[in-house]
Amino acid sequence: MSAISREEVSHLAMLARIDLQPDELDRLAAQLDVILDAVATVTQVAGEDVPATSHPMPLTNVTRPDEPRPCLTQEEALSGAPAAEAGRFRVPRILEED
Amino acid sequence: MTGTTLPADLTRATAAGLAQALAAGDVSAVEVAQAHLDRIAAVDGTRDADGVATGRAVHAFLHVCAESALADAKAVDDARAAGQTLPALAGVPIAVKDVMATRGLPTTCGSRILQGWVPPYDATVVANIRAARMVVLGKTNMDEFAMGSSTEHSAYGPTRNPWDLDRIPGGSGGGSAASLAAFETPLATGTDTGGSIRQPASVTGTVGVKPTYGAVSRYGLVALASSLDQAGPCARTVLDTALLHQVMAGHDPMDSTSLTGEYPDVVAAARAGATGSLDGVTVGVVRELSGDGYQAGVLRRFEESLAVLTEAGAKVVEVSCPSFTVALAAYYLILPSEASSNLAKFDAMRYGLRVEPGGVAVPTAEQVMGATRAAGFGDEVKRRIILGTYALSSGYYDAYYGSAQKVRTLIQRDFAAAFGQADVLVSPTSPTTAFPLGDKLENPLAMYLQDVATIPANLAGVPGMSLPSGLADEDGLPVGLQILAPAGADDRLYRVGGALEAILTARWGGSVLDRVPDLSAALATAANGATR
């Protein structure tokens, strides 16, 4: 089930929005193969009847009272922005040309 | 009236001793802060303009805030002179792991992608520390986004182990642990997702506690794996660790997984433990967490600790937790899965690094994200994001992530059964002592094995402590003992740890850290000197 190809790593990198270099793709494919081999044991130990646990504490729907409270100012919220304009985050275009 | 005698060198004092002397007016907070800042200047080494460690020194700190530390200390002294009643640890210095947001102080998480980021708010833990009027000395180095067991994955260069500058200080919280072992601070904070507080404590001869999941707020911590992350205290003694634990812990409405209800009195437990009696306590030895793969000297110190626990009156029994053998495998599916999701927030849009890809006239947001994340993340972070993306992708989700979550259930059941037979469980914290820098960098799997004994606690949410059990015969390096308790029973760690510490230090005639080599001498021989 493991055996992860260079093409697969390239696809995953695209999904994760990381532009990996060709040498990184080769190295990661080899390393991920070893890691996936090692972790594959998890598929063999738990039977159908074992429920999944996603969280150490059984908590559901924790909410706080819906009341106004102080928060960051606009200036503070923008203080770490790579680019800002007119009190807003300035971001690159989101659509391809044509 | 003077209750304590402080050592002439204030950096050798405990937090408890400093707190008492400060309250008694025997020493000022400014003097205490200055002594520690001087020590940092003497042993921590320098960084270049890009923040990268230069020369051979401890390099525990990524950022030292001398000016604000002295101002905070002076404010404490002024308040005390004006007759104000101050919190117990007022004026005691502390180092903060760089994973915690600190208003007005850089927070990089050891990553290039956050270089230069100055948070506009404090993490709740940091707010608690400030409310306790403690003096923040600076931010400590860590593996990038807390991914690693050696601090070698920090984008700003590794921290070096004060016991041997050519060895790792553990990770991810190697900066905090090394700062304690180098006497740069009496207290430090950590976070523990798979062992990042306990393993560094183990290999530096210090004490560290991962509290019960939810006992310390996660608000303002840069998330790695949200269902596993837990912040906790690091110090040189069990009592000091308890004092900081009490400051850090508590319910926080800003964290929806924060525990409600009673928190145990860990300081009282540490004091009770220090009497050295463990009558009526049953200690379980986890069969699966020793033996093959553990260094001989580590096992010898472990056996010795068991004898000490018996001597203190505890009943020692063997327990079995069969699912622990697959805990590491489950962890390396769950962690990357959660991390790949959590780290999606670093998108170059709202804060942090933004890199424009070359060869495109007007790049799209997506192209900027790809270029920024490629430039801003290191190898280990990329590796885990890709692994997590794979484990969560359709077709593999059930087999990998789904199976790992079932293993998590089995681990919780094993803990429940074990705690039916014993009040606490024990094991070596780490299978080895500190290994040489660079030793495991090319073999991620070998690095992951460092956390084989610490990971089960994170998967189940139970609390754990590491404290020194002595030095390994073969290399003279520190060995840690791990104590685990049921969720919510953090006080048991301190009771048992306090007793073990009391008996061992009496036997050794002092702390294990009394035997750290003289750093000033080691550094004087280094080519570049070590002044900041």
Side-chain angles (χ1 to χ4, degrees), chain B residues 42 56 165 518-530:
Chain B
R56 193 166 168 276
L165 293 175
D518 181 2
L519 268 177
S520 319
L523 292 168
T525 59
N528 289 335

Side-chain angles (χ1 to χ4, degrees), chain A residues 1-5 8-21 24-25 27-28 31-32 34-59 61-65 69-70 72-73 75-84 89-97, chain B residues 103 117-118 120-121 212-213 218 226-227 253-254 256-259 326 328-330 332-333 338 348-354 356-357 360 362-371 373-374 377 379 382-383 385-387 389-390 393 396 399-410 412-413 442 444-445 448 458-461 487:
Chain A
M1 187 165 60
S2 54
I4 185 164
S5 69
E8 243 176 316
V9 175
S10 175
H11 177 68
L12 293 165
M14 186 277 293
L15 292 176
R17 302 291 185 272
I18 305 174
D19 295 348
L20 292 180
Q21 298 301 306
E24 287 182 299
L25 291 174
R27 204 168 60 233
L28 272 174
Q31 288 173 338
L32 291 180
V34 174
I35 296 169
L36 284 170
D37 249 4
V39 299
T41 49
V42 297
T43 60
Q44 292 145 23
V45 288
E48 288 288 308
D49 56 323
V50 179
T53 297
S54 62
H55 201 271
M57 302 293 154
L59 296 166
N61 297 340
V62 177
T63 58
R64 61 174 169 80
R69 50 184 182 155
L72 297 181
T73 63
E75 197 186 329
E76 286 170 330
L78 290 170
S79 62
F89 294 101
R90 184 181 162 86
V91 301
R93 65 197 174 90
I94 56 166
L95 299 174
E96 299 283 346
E97 269 163 319
Chain B
R103 187 186 170 99
W117 183 55
V118 179
Y121 71 108
T212 298
Y213 183 87
R218 288 184 299 108
S226 304
S227 78
M254 298 297 279
S256 62
T257 59
S258 176
L259 292 176
V326 284
L328 189 74
Y332 275 101
L333 288 166
E338 293 191 22
M349 299 298 132
R350 293 152 298 159
Y351 56 99
L353 185 71
R354 179 181 288 182
E356 310 255 328
V360 194
V362 188
T364 62
E366 206 169 305
Q367 289 167 329
V368 170
M369 282 179 208
R373 290 161 64 83
F377 290 145
D379 285 347
K382 289 175 183 171
R383 193 151 47 228
I385 289 176
I386 300 293
L387 180 59
T389 306
Y390 179 78
S393 58
Y396 298 108
Y400 285 125
Y401 189 65
S403 298
Q405 288 194 314
K406 289 184 172 192
V407 168
R408 206 166 175 173
T409 305
L410 298 179
Q412 288 194 330
R413 288 178 183 172
E442 297 309 314
L445 213 54
Y448 297 171
N458 299 80
L459 290 170

Side-chain angles (χ1 to χ4, degrees), chain B residues 201-511:
Chain B
S202 176
V203 300
T204 57
T206 57
V207 184
V209 165
K210 180 203 95 73
T212 298
Y213 183 87
V216 177
S217 170
R218 288 184 299 108
Y219 178 72
L221 312 190
V222 181
L224 169 54
S226 304
S227 78
L228 305 166
D229 294 345
Q230 181 57 214
C234 310
R236 287 190 294 258
T237 69
V238 171
L239 177 60
D240 282 3
T241 312
L243 289 167
L244 179 56
H245 186 132
Q246 210 145 56
V247 169
M248 293 175 76
H251 178 68
D252 179 18
M254 298 297 279
D255 175 0
S256 62
T257 59
S258 176
L259 292 176
T260 51
E262 290 283 300
Y263 282 71
D265 187 341
V266 293
V267 173
R271 293 212 160 99
T275 62
S277 165
L278 290 177
D279 287 336
V281 176
T282 304
V283 174
V285 178
V286 184
R287 189 185 304 155
E288 288 76 10
L289 298 183
S290 67
D292 282 353
Y294 287 76
Q295 192 179 319
V298 168
L299 291 177
R300 208 164 303 134
R301 288 291 85 81
F302 180 60
E303 293 300 329
E304 197 175 79
S305 297
L306 296 181
V308 169
L309 291 169
T310 308
E311 201 179 299
K315 184 176 157 205
V316 177
V317 300
E318 188 179 81
V319 298
S320 179
C321 298
S323 68
F324 284 15
T325 55
V326 284
L328 189 74
Y331 177 83
Y332 275 101
L333 288 166
I334 292 169
L335 178 134
S337 297
E338 293 191 22
S340 70
S341 166
N342 271 328
L343 269 60
K345 72 164 84 63
F346 299 103
D347 59 6
M349 299 298 132
R350 293 152 298 159
Y351 56 99
L353 185 71
R354 179 181 288 182
V355 173
E356 310 255 328
V360 194
V362 188
T364 62
E366 206 169 305
Q367 289 167 329
V368 170
M369 282 179 208
T372 301
R373 290 161 64 83
F377 290 145
D379 285 347
E380 180 66 18
V381 174
K382 289 175 183 171
R383 193 151 47 228
R384 295 203 199 180
I385 289 176
I386 300 293
L387 180 59
T389 306
Y390 179 78
L392 290 178
S393 58
S394 63
Y396 298 108
Y397 181 95
D398 287 337
Y400 285 125
Y401 189 65
S403 298
Q405 288 194 314
K406 289 184 172 192
V407 168
R408 206 166 175 173
T409 305
L410 298 179
I411 286 166
Q412 288 194 330
R413 288 178 183 172
D414 279 357
F415 265 120
F419 286 129
Q421 301 164 257
D423 300 305
V424 295
L425 305 178
V426 293
S427 77
T429 307
S430 173
T432 68
T433 55
F435 50 87
L437 288 162
D439 219 29
K440 300 186 196 294
L441 269 183
E442 297 309 314
N443 186 351
L445 213 54
M447 185 81 87
Y448 297 171
L449 278 168
Q450 277 293 303
D451 296 328
V452 70
T454 46
I455 279 171
N458 299 80
L459 290 170
V462 306
M465 168 187 281
S466 178
L467 79 161
S469 60
L471 305 180
D473 296 330
E474 59 269 37
D475 54 21
L477 293 167
V479 175
L481 175 85
Q482 175 174 242
I483 308 170
L484 302 168
D490 304 46
D491 52 329
R492 292 187 197 173
L493 306 176
Y494 290 96
R495 163 106 195 269
V496 176
L500 189 72
E501 181 189 60
I503 296 171
L504 285 176
T505 51
R507 185 175 293 182
W508 299 330
S511 148

